[in-house]
């Protein structure tokens, strides 16, 4: 009974911890999205400067990551040569800066609910770019699934009450750059055996993002901010907003590290539905039945895609175990053959 009870307690504890990690990530992701919308929307805080907001986030995250690594030594920095940094980290930083800039800009023009619906295209973009860079193989059934997701998002867009072409272009651009960044991480870093946790990732990538954003900021937003003498930097608003953004990066590492990337994908769907409900009930954004029908179709496509990935992962793990079993069996046979050989040599010597 003791052993059975301890096993049940251990399983229960693991389940509760997994749900806790999921809950923390959903809460922080939800908070960052709504907070960014609040700051950037002209009807709310009315500070429509997405490049400046992204630069504030990057400078805050880079500084905090530097302190955690160099002062408190929470994690060890990854050994990285100058050539590797320029050839791998800098391109990833450029893509990340563009993704954040465009996604934050979209909040000025689109509702939170519609942005979440457009984000359902992320698997489509990742798969398409993966095939383009020959990281993934083309499969007709997967492409049909991608088309079904795209069709669902197209219906949701058709039913959008506050459709804004420029806002949609910004969000689609953000999805494309983010998908490219994810594929480039696999090609430029993971394939070379380099893995970065959120702290080391921000330590290396955040300064790059800040530098890349300086040029557009200098020409696009700095002149307007210079003329706006009424603006005073609110340390409480921007400080807590940046802290939430940094905490979200840590929550991603915690969730993926303690569960799996697939769990985060499933949790992301739950978060999207919560954001749509919040956008409709609290922010009073218009969510039409056609919106929900289209996103429902896209949701089914994303769910099937995640299910297919899970099945493929299970098959790969099973194949790996079979390979390990065959290898162990081979070693045992070699050892036994060696023992038999030793016995024969002893007999011949006798």
């Amino acid at each position: 009974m003791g052993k059975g009870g301890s096993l049940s307690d251990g399983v229960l504890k693991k389940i509760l911890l997994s749900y806790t990690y999921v809950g923390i990530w959903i809460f922080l992701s939800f908070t960052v999205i709504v907070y960014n919308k609040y700051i950037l929307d002209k009807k709310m805080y009315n500070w429509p400067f997405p490049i400046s907001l992204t630069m504030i986030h990057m400078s805050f995250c880079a500084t905090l990551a530097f302190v955690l690594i160099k002062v408190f030594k929470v994690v060890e920095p990854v050994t990285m040569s100058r050539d590797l940094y320029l050839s791998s980290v800098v391109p990833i930083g450029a893509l990340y800066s563009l993704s954040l800039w465009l996604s934050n800009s979209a909040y000025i023009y689109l509702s939170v609910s519609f942005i979440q619906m457009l984000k359902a295209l992320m698997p489509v973009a990742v798969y398409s770019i993966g095939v383009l860079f020959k990281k993934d193989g083309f499969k007709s059934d997967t492409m049909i699934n991608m088309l079904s997701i795209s069709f669902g998002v197209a219906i949701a867009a058709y039913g959008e009450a506050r459709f804004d072409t420029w806002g949609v272009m910004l969000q689609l651009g953000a999805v494309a750059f983010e998908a490219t960044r994810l594929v480039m991480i696999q090609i430029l870093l993971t394939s070379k055996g380099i893995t970065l946790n959120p702290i080391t990732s921000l330590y290396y990538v955040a300064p790059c993002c800040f530098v890349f954003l300086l040029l557009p900021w200098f020409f696009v937003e700095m002149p307007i901010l210079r003329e706006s003498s009424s603006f005073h930097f609110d340390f409480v608003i921007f400080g807590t907003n940046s802290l939430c953004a940094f905490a979200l990066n840590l929550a991603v590492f915690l969730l993926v590290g303690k569960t799996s990337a697939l769990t985060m994908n499933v949790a992301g769907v739950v978060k999207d539905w919560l954001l749509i409900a919040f956008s409709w009930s609290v922010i009073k954004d218009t969510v039409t039945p056609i919106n929900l029908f289209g996103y429902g179709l896209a949701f089914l496509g994303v769910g099937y895609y995640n299910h297919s990935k899970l099945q493929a992962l299970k098959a790969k793990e099973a194949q790996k175990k079979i390979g390990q079993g065959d290898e162990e069996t081979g070693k045992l046979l070699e050892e036994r053959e060696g023992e038999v050989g030793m016995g024969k040599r002893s007999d011949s010597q006798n």
Side-chain angles (χ1 to χ4, degrees):
M1 286 294 290
K3 289 183 179 179
S6 63
L7 180 62
S8 299
D9 291 342
V11 171
L12 181 62
K13 184 178 178 181
K14 188 176 180 180
I15 292 171
L16 289 174
L17 282 173
S18 296
Y19 277 110
T20 302
Y21 300 139
V22 169
I24 291 171
W25 179 80
I26 289 177
F27 172 76
L28 287 170
S29 182
F30 186 100
T31 302
V32 169
I33 289 170
V34 174
Y35 212 157
N36 287 351
K37 173 68 174 176
Y38 168 75
I39 291 173
L40 295 165
D41 198 301
K42 294 178 182 179
K43 296 179 181 178
M44 298 183 193
Y45 189 76
N46 190 24
W47 199 70
F49 300 103
I51 305 176
S52 300
L53 182 64
T54 308
M55 289 175 68
I56 291 169
H57 287 173
M58 291 299 101
S59 58
F60 181 90
C61 290
T63 303
L64 200 51
F66 178 84
V67 171
L68 290 173
I69 290 175
K70 294 297 185 180
V71 179
F72 294 103
K73 301 187 185 300
V74 175
V75 293
E76 290 292 328
V78 177
T79 303
M80 191 173 295
S81 65
R82 182 180 177 182
D83 290 340
L84 181 62
Y85 184 82
L86 293 174
S87 63
S88 300
V89 176
V90 170
I92 291 169
L95 291 166
Y96 194 37
S97 63
L98 289 168
S99 170
L100 292 173
W101 171 15
L102 296 183
S103 63
N104 282 334
S105 299
Y107 286 111
I108 300 173
Y109 304 96
L110 303 176
S111 65
V112 171
S113 57
F114 187 43
I115 285 175
Q116 300 314 120
M117 294 176 189
L118 291 174
K119 284 181 179 178
L121 289 170
M122 184 60 73
V124 180
V126 171
Y127 176 73
S128 301
I129 293 169
V131 171
L132 183 65
F133 284 96
K134 297 181 179 179
K135 189 65 183 175
D136 291 318
F138 178 84
K139 297 178 181 178
S140 56
D141 55 342
T142 305
M143 184 52 70
I144 291 171
N145 186 22
M146 297 299 104
L147 290 174
S148 70
I149 296 172
S150 303
F151 181 66
V153 173
I155 293 175
Y158 177 77
E160 175 59 22
R162 288 180 53 200
F163 186 91
D164 186 282
T165 304
W166 179 240
V168 171
M169 289 175 63
L170 288 170
Q171 184 55 47
L172 293 180
V175 169
F177 283 121
E178 178 63 12
T180 307
R181 183 183 75 91
L182 294 174
V183 174
M184 287 297 104
I185 287 174
Q186 294 179 5
I187 295 172
L188 299 177
L189 292 178
T190 307
S191 61
K192 297 175 183 177
I194 299 171
T195 55
L196 300 175
N197 64 51
I199 299 177
T200 54
S201 178
L202 289 172
Y203 176 78
Y204 289 112
V205 175
C208 279
C209 292
F210 185 88
V211 172
F212 277 113
L213 290 168
L214 269 176
L215 185 62
W217 177 81
F218 185 80
F219 290 103
V220 177
E221 294 185 1
M222 190 187 77
I224 303 172
L225 285 168
R226 182 179 289 177
E227 292 175 6
S228 178
S229 57
S230 60
F231 174 72
H232 298 285
F233 190 85
D234 192 327
F235 285 95
V236 175
I237 291 290
F238 292 103
T240 52
N241 179 245
S242 300
L243 186 62
C244 287
F246 183 82
L248 177 60
N249 280 278
L250 298 184
V252 170
F253 176 66
L254 189 67
L255 180 61
V256 175
K258 299 296 183 180
T259 56
S260 67
L262 196 62
T263 301
M264 192 177 79
N265 289 340
V266 175
V269 173
V270 175
K271 178 207 69 179
D272 290 343
W273 282 110
L274 289 173
L275 278 165
I276 291 170
F278 179 86
S279 176
W280 171 74
S281 60
V282 178
I283 305 178
K284 303 301 180 183
D285 286 331
T286 303
V287 180
T288 66
I290 298 177
N291 274 147
L292 294 177
F293 176 72
Y295 183 65
L297 288 178
F299 162 74
L300 291 175
V302 172
Y304 179 76
Y305 176 71
N306 288 334
H307 173 73
S308 300
K309 285 182 69 176
L310 179 61
Q311 295 302 114
L313 189 63
K314 285 182 177 179
K316 188 176 180 180
E317 288 294 323
Q319 191 67 33
K320 189 177 179 181
K321 286 180 181 179
I322 291 171
Q324 289 175 347
D326 291 342
E327 187 178 343
E328 290 175 2
T329 303
K331 286 181 180 179
L332 285 172
L333 287 172
E334 286 178 5
E335 288 174 2
R336 288 177 182 175
E337 286 175 1
E339 289 173 1
V340 170
M342 287 290 291
K344 287 181 178 179
R345 281 195 293 271
S346 336
D347 291 341
S348 62
Q349 285 172 1
N350 291 334

